């Protein structure tokens, strides 16, 4: 039976995660949770520190992270049709060919407990990989899914999540959801730890002091009698991870939005400086030396009125005189965004800027293709491990019995 220090060890990791900072991170997002939060805010066109400026004027968010991230997803896209089962040297080609056809049907139709097919899981991986710069895939019983980084608690300066001392997932369940998990002591935990209709459960893997086990499921603040499940497991049997950019000195990788943090801040500043200027230049203000002229020319003067004044009425010049500077700044940060993400106009399906030489366009396209080919290759090798270790064994066990398979037409590349 595990030692009663289980929750204390887990709580220590959680407290360190909440207070520790990583020096290599941006000063405005020094913690792992800050980076994840900023990505989520930017994804939804929101400012982390408030939507209004000091005058109460709503700030504008000029999103530059969304498009390059989706371009990256498009360039590394993998589908079930890309999974090919081949015969080893000396083996017959036909069993592997039939198995490949069978797997494609199974991958598109068979759903796990998360109500997702393998094809849908692939789409989710491709979509979130460049967004967060990291993917953590988990196998739980017959379910394979992505772990939300918002739920992770870990040692932030570890080399990766697999090497952090204790890897923790936070779950919030309703009573109905918790009962579906199939863990022990469910009714006891529900009656004891329900707060605002939710029960907070922590799932922890790592070496715990004075314990022969390394995998625990326990409610927040629970004691020894509240442990719902414990076991000894290899972390590699539960999790697999892959980074977009591997940043030495921290566990989490770096994705496209984080590459563009500085550019996004500068773009928003430039946009809001421009809007503030336009806010003034849209006003019509007049001046005169006649102190008897105390009227609002918009609301108090009718069309055709003749004014008799002691001094002329002149408009106050408020027009914007700095538009070329704004354009210069915009163009500079647009180039920086494309250079950082390889999301050039040609890759996005747009025409390059006027005057761009053909040779430059071809070179930029080739550079982008080679960059994303490298990321796609990394993702392919990662998915190959998941297929060999988790997916194919599950597929073979379910398809081992006699069954029918409609092969349909031959693929063009197999004729």
């Amino acid at each position: 039976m595990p030692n009663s220090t289980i929750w204390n060890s887990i709580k220590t990791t959680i407290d360190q995660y909440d207070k520790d900072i990583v020096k290599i991170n941006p000063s405005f997002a020094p913690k792992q949770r800050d980076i994840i939060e900023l990505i989520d805010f930017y994804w939804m066109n929101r400012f982390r520190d408030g939507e209004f400026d000091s005058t109460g004027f709503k700030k504008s968010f000029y999103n530059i992270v969304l498009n390059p991230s989706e371009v990256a997803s498009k360039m590394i896209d993998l589908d079930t049709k890309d999974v090919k089962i081949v015969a080893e040297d000396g083996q017959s080609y036909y069993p592997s060919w039939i198995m490949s056809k069978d797997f494609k049907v199974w991958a598109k139709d068979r759903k796990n407990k998360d109500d997702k097919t393998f094809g849908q899981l692939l789409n989710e991986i491709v979509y979130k990989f460049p967004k967060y710069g990291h993917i953590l895939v988990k196998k739980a019983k017959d379910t394979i899914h992505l772990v939300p980084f918002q739920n992770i608690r870990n040692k932030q300066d570890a080399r990766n999540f697999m090497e952090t001392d204790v890897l923790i997932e936070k779950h919030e369940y309703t009573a109905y959801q918790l009962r579906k998990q199939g863990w022990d002591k469910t009714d006891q935990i529900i009656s004891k730890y329900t707060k605002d209709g939710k029960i907070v459960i922590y799932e922890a893997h790592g070496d715990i002091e004075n314990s022969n086990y390394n995998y625990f499921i326990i409610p927040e603040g629970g004691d020894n009698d509240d442990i719902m499940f414990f076991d000894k497991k290899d972390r590699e049997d539960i999790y697999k991870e892959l980074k977009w950019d591997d940043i030495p000195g921290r566990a989490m990788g770096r994705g496209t939005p984080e590459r563009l943090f500085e550019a996004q801040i500068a773009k928003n500043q430039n946009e809001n400086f421009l809007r503030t200027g336009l806010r003034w230049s849209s006003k019509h203000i007049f001046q005169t030396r006649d102190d008897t002229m105390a009227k609002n020319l918009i609301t108090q003067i009718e069309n055709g009125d003749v004014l008799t004044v002691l001094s002329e009425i002149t408009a106050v010049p408020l027009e914007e005189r700095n538009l070329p500077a704004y354009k210069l700044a915009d163009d500079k940060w647009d180039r920086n965004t494309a250079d950082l993400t390889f999301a050039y106009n040609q890759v996005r399906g747009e025409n390059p800027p006027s005057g761009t030489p053909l040779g430059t366009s071809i070179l930029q396209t080739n550079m982008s293709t080679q960059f994303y080919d490298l990321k796609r290759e990394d993702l392919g090798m990662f998915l190959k491990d998941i297929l060999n270790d988790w997916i194919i064994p599950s597929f073979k066990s379910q398809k081992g019995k006699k069954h029918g398979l409609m092969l349909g037409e031959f693929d063009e590349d197999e004729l």
Side-chain angles (χ1 to χ4, degrees), residues 201-247:
I201 303 293
Y202 284 91
E203 181 179 359
H205 185 281
D207 293 329
I208 304 296
E209 185 179 359
N210 301 324
S211 175
N212 295 324
Y213 303 93
N214 64 0
Y215 181 78
F216 305 92
I217 296 175
I218 186 171
E220 185 175 40
D223 55 30
N224 185 68
D225 293 332
D226 296 320
I227 296 175
M228 306 177 71
F229 183 82
F230 59 91
D231 200 355
K232 190 168 183 64
K233 297 185 176 185
D234 290 331
R235 191 171 293 179
E236 290 74 15
D237 294 336
I238 309 173
Y239 299 101
K240 293 183 184 296
E241 67 176 338
L242 180 65
K243 297 182 180 182
W244 184 268
D245 287 342
D246 188 3
I247 307 298

Side-chain angles (χ1 to χ4, degrees), residues 137-192:
V137 182
K138 178 183 178 183
K139 184 178 186 297
K141 297 181 180 178
D142 59 349
T143 298
I144 299 174
H145 63 272
L146 284 180
V147 179
F149 292 111
Q150 295 82 352
N151 295 350
I152 291 293
R153 306 292 183 268
N154 60 284
K155 195 171 186 297
Q156 297 178 67
D157 59 356
R159 199 162 71 93
N160 50 51
F161 291 144
M162 301 298 288
E163 297 185 16
T164 186
D165 294 339
V166 182
L167 182 61
I168 300 170
E169 286 186 65
K170 178 182 178 180
H171 306 282
E172 289 189 2
Y173 295 115
T174 63
Y176 172 77
Q177 292 169 335
L178 185 58
R179 288 191 176 96
K180 288 179 64 177
Q181 303 306 314
W183 295 323
D184 295 335
K185 306 177 183 178
T186 299
D187 291 333
Q188 170 187 326
I189 299 304
I190 291 172
S191 62
K192 189 176 179 180

Side-chain angles (χ1 to χ4, degrees), residues 81-127:
K81 67 177 183 298
D82 297 308
V83 179
K84 299 186 184 299
I85 300 175
V86 297
E88 293 183 355
D89 292 341
Q91 293 185 343
S92 172
Y93 161 78
Y94 295 104
S96 64
W97 181 81
I98 293 175
M99 186 177 180
S100 179
K101 294 291 186 184
D102 206 3
F103 176 79
K104 288 179 182 179
V105 174
W106 176 86
K108 289 182 178 180
D109 294 341
R110 190 255 178 185
K111 295 186 177 182
N112 59 29
K113 286 186 178 181
D114 278 348
D115 201 34
K116 290 181 181 178
T117 65
F118 176 66
Q120 291 172 320
L121 176 64
L122 279 183
N123 291 337
E124 187 179 7
I125 289 174
V126 166
Y127 187 67

Side-chain angles (χ1 to χ4, degrees), residues 6 15 36 38 49 67 89 103 116 134 137 147 150 179 192 199 206 213 223 299 304 320 325 355 376 387:
I6 298 302
D15 290 342
I36 296 169
L38 201 55
D49 301 326
N67 182 263
D89 292 341
F103 176 79
K116 290 181 181 178
H134 205 129
V137 182
V147 179
Q150 295 82 352
R179 288 191 176 96
K192 189 176 179 180
I199 307 100
Y213 303 93
D223 55 30
T299 61
E320 179 60 68
R376 193 170 189 262
L387 284 163

Side-chain angles (χ1 to χ4, degrees), residues 247-263:
I247 307 298
R250 73 182 215 186
M252 189 167 180
R254 181 182 66 172
T256 299
E258 189 179 351
R259 281 189 173 197
L260 298 177
F261 275 175
E262 288 288 348

Side-chain angles (χ1 to χ4, degrees), residues 217-311:
I217 296 175
I218 186 171
E220 185 175 40
D223 55 30
N224 185 68
D225 293 332
D226 296 320
I227 296 175
M228 306 177 71
F229 183 82
F230 59 91
D231 200 355
K232 190 168 183 64
K233 297 185 176 185
D234 290 331
R235 191 171 293 179
E236 290 74 15
D237 294 336
I238 309 173
Y239 299 101
K240 293 183 184 296
E241 67 176 338
L242 180 65
K243 297 182 180 182
W244 184 268
D245 287 342
D246 188 3
I247 307 298
R250 73 182 215 186
M252 189 167 180
R254 181 182 66 172
T256 299
E258 189 179 351
R259 281 189 173 197
L260 298 177
F261 275 175
E262 288 288 348
Q264 181 65 78
I265 293 170
K267 266 287 195 177
N268 283 338
Q269 287 177 336
N270 198 52
E271 178 67 17
N272 284 285
F273 283 150
L274 174 61
R275 282 174 58 87
T276 300
L278 294 177
R279 185 180 170 192
W280 278 105
S281 63
S282 65
K283 296 181 182 296
H284 296 282
I285 303 176
F286 299 88
Q287 61 184 352
T288 178
R289 294 183 180 87
D290 186 355
D291 57 6
T292 65
M293 183 64 188
K295 292 184 178 182
N296 186 317
L297 297 182
I298 295 178
T299 61
Q300 295 179 264
I301 301 300
E302 297 290 341
N303 189 27
D305 279 356
V306 177
L307 299 179
T308 302
V309 297
L310 301 178
S311 181

